Amino acid sequence: MLNEPKQRRTRDRLERIFEVAESLFAERGFASTSMRDIAKGVPCSMSAIYDRFGSKEALLLAMHERYHARTLVEIEARTPGADSAVDLRDLLPKLIRFAMKVSRENRGLRRAMLAQSSFDPELAAKERELRALLSTMAYRMILRGAYQMKHPDPRVAADFSARLIAALVLQRYEITVEQQNVKLGEERFADETLRACLRYLEIEPA
């Protein structure tokens, strides 16, 4: 118990490092953000960050693992029980908005991972693992609404819908606003994504 204040300060410092790095990666990009910039924003010494992570790439990997763990916890909390009925007109909007939330809140990390995955095989593997896991979870949830689909192959339809949501949401938050040709607001984007999914699945809106 005597070390609890010190441990709390250590956890708070770690969270602050992640918070500052996330903000700078979103604002400047991974390549244009230095460890010195992060240390200045915390504030702390550069040695405090290097002693903990060793490199900017290692920091990014730690951020990704934290994001991975937190996202899975949030998904589990939102997953309907195995025996509960699923209405896709209710589930899909929640799924889309959840995907938007986790991408928006981690935009700097998402952009950094996109930029670095082509250079770092370990980061690329971690990114593929997370995307596959998220797509699988979304697929399983959507498939439970197969009774509402008019598609001749519900498994294909559920898989395609999960991939469509992921692709649209990730594209929105992984590129800069200046690169987006059509600037849809959050609500309009969610509505248009839902409309695309429902139309593909041939489900009448609520």
Side-chain angles (χ1 to χ4, degrees), residues 14-34:
L14 182 60
E15 285 298 315
R16 180 61 181 160
I17 291 171
F18 287 149
E19 178 185 317
V20 170
E22 166 70 35
S23 177
L24 290 173
F25 291 162
E27 178 185 348
R28 306 178 184 180
F30 183 79
S32 298
T33 300
S34 69

Side-chain angles (χ1 to χ4, degrees), residues 97-159:
R97 283 175 168 78
F98 171 71
M100 291 170 64
K101 172 182 177 292
V102 296
S103 295
R104 182 196 316 112
E105 293 177 354
N106 297 274
R107 188 168 190 165
L109 172 61
R110 304 297 324 136
R111 288 187 62 196
M113 288 297 297
L114 181 65
Q116 288 303 111
S117 290
S118 58
F119 303 110
D120 189 320
E122 184 177 7
L123 285 176
K126 291 286 185 181
E127 179 68 1
R128 288 195 300 271
E129 177 187 348
L130 178 59
R131 291 195 186 208
L133 184 58
L134 295 178
S135 292
T136 298
M137 288 183 169
Y139 160 76
R140 289 174 178 169
M141 292 170 70
I142 295 171
L143 187 60
R144 287 168 58 187
Y147 70 94
Q148 291 179 297
M149 302 177 192
K150 295 181 181 178
H151 193 285
D153 191 334
R155 292 182 180 276
V156 170
D159 179 66

